[in-house]
Every structure is written in structure tokens, then in C-alpha cells.
């Protein structure tokens, strides 16, 4: 038909232009020709015809790409890549173009031109922004739901080309236009390819540049949803340990841990939806959809234990980032243990983390801080000890213990057998470094003793020895009592004259 004749005439003219010497190359006519081709690429009836002439189209494409690049004809390059981007919306065209690009006789032409253009365009960002954006959008469309083309794009760009492009774009005025299609290519490439996922998670330079966009810098407030999709995908497929082991810098590890906590908090929301890539539908999910607890959770416990061996060497010069990482792990475990919406999910979290040794680690946190950092209090005439960076550590540890022991006999017994009843009872005191730790400890003791006769008897045995007593309550005319498996705060007797006036206050 008409469309077929127009396309054939366009191809013949393009081949004639390719045979002209460079100094006679008619750039205005070629620009008009690609503008016409770009207009065709938007119309389904023309896309069908174009797909039939791909083999004839490729020599014209490769020559025009090379000549336009050498002449720095960015307007022509923009029209070329926009045309390719548009026609790759059609799966038929996408598959056939990918097959042709993989053939050896053209691989050295078209792909080489694209790689050289992407690498060089970063040096001329102001002039090349529009054409480079269209090029990256074309590659993103080419890789959508196409495993062969994903491997093709990965070989074309990774790691050197894309790392250098990230480096040139960081904090530039062009990053908002160019980073999203670049991230889309990354996401499309790893979506169904475990080998490419591992390559990405193991590449320290790639992860470093991706992390740079997780927390916007003062120079840039840029963030892309593609970045979240990439990292959540890597988390879902158990690559958190690989990423953390890949990162050489402690500060970068901290950024990753902070992001994990943010993701877990976000996915803990009951209304959170995520697209299920295999089912193709939106599902209501919890954080368990994005973190494999038995692998990543156990790894994080080991990491916390390792960090604490350095953090609690109080005589050595303290490493700020070691402390920050350890504290962020406490935040993560508090999120995990405190965001359980269903009984089955709750039991899984409790059993996995409890059996992996988290309770013993938390008890060691409490013992170590109590030993080396005595409590501070704002009581009159008592100066505060100099701060040493362990604020809220004990309160968070007690909260996690309470969460893991809630209606869980196995974890209650783990704490008892580790000698933890005395340790937790000893937290029922005011501490300015740990606001509300007394209330948190009372709540944890309640969970430790619920339906557990042995733990209840242990608390009753320890209470007369003063383990649960504290000077701050006595100064307020109150006392802490444990009776029938529950803690109550009561008024202290007034010199024995008001023994009948005690009244139970609300359970703390």
C-alpha cells in the first residue's frame, strides 16, 4: 500500500545518502527524513510496514548514527533515537530488532555507535541531553520484558559505560532527565535474570552510585521510583548480604541499612501495595514480601554481633560508623518485631530471630552498657555524665526482647536460660539516656511472664532482693510490685500509718 511505498522510497534515499562523501552529506534533508520517520513510528499502520523492512533499515541506521555522531548532529541523533524508542513499543519490532542487533555482521556497527555515543555524550551534556535521553529511553523500551535484549543492553553498557555516565550526571542539571531512563534499563535488565542481579549487587561502583541517590544531597533533591524498584527487587531476591559485603565504606553500609529500615517501615503499612512481578497483579503485602527473614535476618544478627565486638571495646578509640550501623540494626529489628499484623507472621519472626541468637545479643547489649556506662539521672545536685553515644540503645533492646517474647514460650525460655530475667528487671529504673525504659522493661517482663510459671516465680524471687526496686520511685512515694504475674505501681506506705490507703495505679 501507500505506507509500504513511502517506506521503500525513504530507505532508498537513505542508502543513497550513505554513499555520499561526508563533506557532501545533506544534513537538513536527513534531519527532515528522520523527522518523517519519527512521525511514522507513532502510527501502528506504519510500524507494521517498518517491521517488514528492518533488515534493509539497519545499514541506513548504522551509517546515519555514525555520521551524525562524528558531525555532532544532535538534532538528527534525537530524531533517530526517538524513532527507535517509539517503534520498540511494539513487541514484534522489539524482538526482531534485538535479533538483528545480536547478529555479528551488524553488532560491530549499531551497538558500537550507541556505546560510543553514550560514553561521549556525557562530556557534552548541555548539547546532548535531549538526544541522550531519547537513546536511553530506546534502550529501556528495547529491554522491557525481553530477556535476550536485557542481556544485550547489559553487555553494551555495564559496568564501565553506565558507571562513567552516573559519575558525569551526579549533581548536574541534566540528572533529572537522564537518570530515570538509565535506572529503567538497570531494572529491566535484572528483572528476570538472577545472574545480572548478582553482577549488579557485587559491583561496588554501581551500588555506590545508586546509593548516592537514596539520600538526596544538598546540591540535589532528586529521587526516582526506579531506584526503589531496583533495591526492593534486590532485597526480595536475597541480595542484601551481597550488597553489604560489597560496600567497602562503613558510611555507605549505614546508608543501605537506613534504607532497609525505611523500606520495612513502609511495607509494614497494612494498605501498602506492590506489583507482583510473576502474578502481574497488585497484592496487599507486608515487609515479608521484600525481605527473606531466614537468610537476610540471620545475616543481620551476625552483623550486629560482629559490630558489637568493636563497639563495646570502650578502651579503644570509638568508630562512629560502627556505632551508627549497630544502632540502625537495632532499629531494623525493632521494626521487624513490632510490625507483625498476623499471628503466623508474628510467630515466624519471633522463632527465626529468637533461634538465631538475637535475644542473647540484646541481653549482652544491656549488660555491657550497664557495666561501662552507669545510668544518668536529672535528680537535683547530680550532674549528668558526659554523653558517649549510646542514647536509646537499652530501651530499643528491651522493646525488641518484649516483642519477641510476646505469647512465645520458646523465646521466654531462651531469656530465662540466658540469665536474662535479672538483666531485664534491672532496667525498671529511670535513665536519662533511655526515656521510658522503665515502662518498656515492665512491659517486657509482663510478656516474659505471661503463661510462664517458671519466669513468674523467678521475678517473684528476685523482687524482694531489690532487683525491680529503684530509688527514683521511692523518692516519688511509689513502689513497684509484682503480683499474680503482673506489675503494678503503688503508693508507698507512709511510715506505716497509711497501710490501708494503698491503691493500685494503672498498669504501666
Amino acid at each position: 500500500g501507500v505506507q509500504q511505498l513511502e517506506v521503500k522510497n525513504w530507505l532508498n534515499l537513505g542508502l543513497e545518502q550513505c554513499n555520499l562523501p561526508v563533506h557532501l552529506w545533506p544534513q537538513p534533508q536527513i534531519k527532515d527524513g528522520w523527522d518523517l520517520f519519527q512521525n511514522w513510528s507513532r502510527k501502528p499502520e506504519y510500524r507494521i510496514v517498518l517491521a517488514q523492512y528492518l533488515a534493509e533499515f539497519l545499514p541506513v541506521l548504522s551509517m546515519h548514527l555514525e555520521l551524525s555522531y562524528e558531525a555532532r548532529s544532535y538534532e538528527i541523533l534525537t530524531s533517530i533515537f526517538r524513532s527507535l524508542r517509539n517503534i520498540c513499543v511494539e513487541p514484534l519490532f522489539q524482538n526482531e530488532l534485538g535479533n538483528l542487533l545480536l547478529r555479528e555482521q551488524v553488532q560491530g556497527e549499531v551497538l558500537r555507535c550507541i556505546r560510543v555515543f553514550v560514553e561521549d555524550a556525557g562530556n557534552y551534556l548541555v548539547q546532548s541531553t535531549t538526544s541522550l535521553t531519547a537513546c536511553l529511553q530506546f534502550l529501556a523500551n528495547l529491554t522491557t520484558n525481553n530477556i535476550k535484549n536485557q542481556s544485550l543492553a547489559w553487555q553494551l553498557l555495564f559496568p564501565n559505560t553506565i558507571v562513567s555516565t552516573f559519575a558525569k550526571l551526579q549533581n548536574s542539571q541534566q540528572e533529572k532527565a537522564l537518570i530515570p531512563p538509565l535506572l529503567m534499563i538497570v531494572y529491566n535488565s535484572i528483572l528476570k535474570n538472577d545472574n545480572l542481579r548478582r553482577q549488579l549487587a557485587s559491583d561496588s561502583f554501581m551500588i555506590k552510585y545508586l546509593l548516592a541517590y537514596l539520600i538526596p544531597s544538598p546540591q540535589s533533591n532528586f529521587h526516582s521510583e526506579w531506584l526503589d524498584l531496583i533495591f526492593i527487587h534486590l532485597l526480595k531476591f536475597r541480595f542484601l548480604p551481597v550488597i553489604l559485603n560489597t560496600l567497602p565504606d562503613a558510611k555507605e553500609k549505614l546508608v543501605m541499612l537506613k534504607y532497609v529500615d525505611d523500606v520495612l517501615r513502609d511495607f509494614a503499612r497494612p494498605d501498602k501495595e506492590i506489583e507482583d512481578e510473576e502474578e502481574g497483579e497488585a497484592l496487599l503485602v507486608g515487609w515479608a514480601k521484600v525481605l527473606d527473614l531466614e537468610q537476610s535476618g540471620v545475616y543481620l544478627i551476625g552483623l550486629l554481633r560482629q559490630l558489637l565486638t568493636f563497639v563495646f571495646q570502650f578502651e579503644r578509640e570509638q568508630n562512629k560508623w560502627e556505632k551508627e550501623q549497630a544502632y540502625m540494626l537495632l532499629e531494623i529489628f525493632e521494626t521487624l518485631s513490632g510490625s507483625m499484623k498476623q499471628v503466623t507472621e508474628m510467630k515466624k519472626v519471633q522463632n527465626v530471630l529468637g533461634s538465631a541468637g538475637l535475644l542473647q545479643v540484646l541481653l549482652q547489649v544491656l549488660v555491657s552498657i550497664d557495666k561501662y556506662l552507669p545510668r544518668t539521672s536529672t535528680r537535683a545536685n547530680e550532674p549528668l555524665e558526659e554523653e558517649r553515644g549510646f542514647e536509646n540503645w537499652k530501651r530499643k533492646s528491651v522493646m525488641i526482647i518484649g516483642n519477641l517474647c510476646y505469647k512465645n514460650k520458646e523465646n521466654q525460655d531462651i531469656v530465662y536460660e540466658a540469665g536474662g530475667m535479672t538483666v531485664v528487671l534491672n532496667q525498671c529504673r529511670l535513665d536519662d539516656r533511655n526515656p521510658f525504659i522503665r515502662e518498656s522493661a515492665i512491659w517486657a517482663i509482663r510478656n516474659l511472664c505471661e503463661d510462664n510459671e517458671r519466669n513468674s516465680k523467678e521475678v517473684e524471687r528476685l523482687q524482694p532482693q531489690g532487683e525491680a526496686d529503684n530509688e527514683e520511685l521511692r523518692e516519688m512515694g511509689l513502689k513497684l510490685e509484682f503480683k499474680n504475674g503482673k506489675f503494678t505501681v503503688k503508693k508507698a506506705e507512709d511510715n506505716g500509718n497509711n497501710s490501708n490507703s494503698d491503691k493500685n495505679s494503672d498498669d504501666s
Side-chain angles (χ1 to χ4, degrees), residues 311-373:
V311 169
F312 289 142
Q313 292 178 19
F314 291 94
E315 66 278 3
R316 71 189 275 270
E317 184 178 352
Q318 293 296 300
N319 185 320
K320 173 185 176 182
W321 301 115
E322 288 171 354
K323 286 183 183 178
E324 294 287 342
Q325 285 181 67
Y327 185 78
M328 186 52 59
L329 286 168
L330 292 179
E331 294 264 20
I332 289 172
F333 288 125
E334 185 178 29
T335 301
L336 283 172
S337 64
S339 60
M340 302 170 287
K341 301 296 188 296
Q342 299 177 354
V343 174
T344 53
E345 185 181 85
M346 176 181 70
K347 290 291 290 184
K348 178 180 179 180
V349 172
Q350 291 175 328
N351 292 339
V352 170
L353 298 183
S355 63
L358 180 58
L359 289 163
Q360 291 91 330
V361 174
L362 296 172
L363 291 171
Q364 185 58 46
V365 170
L366 297 173
V367 170
S368 298
I369 295 179
D370 276 343
K371 181 178 179 180
Y372 292 101
L373 294 177

Side-chain angles (χ1 to χ4, degrees), residues 382-400:
E382 184 175 328
L384 280 173
E385 186 181 327
E386 182 182 355
E387 299 291 350
R388 294 184 63 179
F390 288 89
E391 289 72 24
N392 282 317
W393 280 55
K394 292 201 299 179
R395 184 184 65 80
K396 287 191 177 295
S397 298
V398 169
M399 284 293 295
I400 299 167

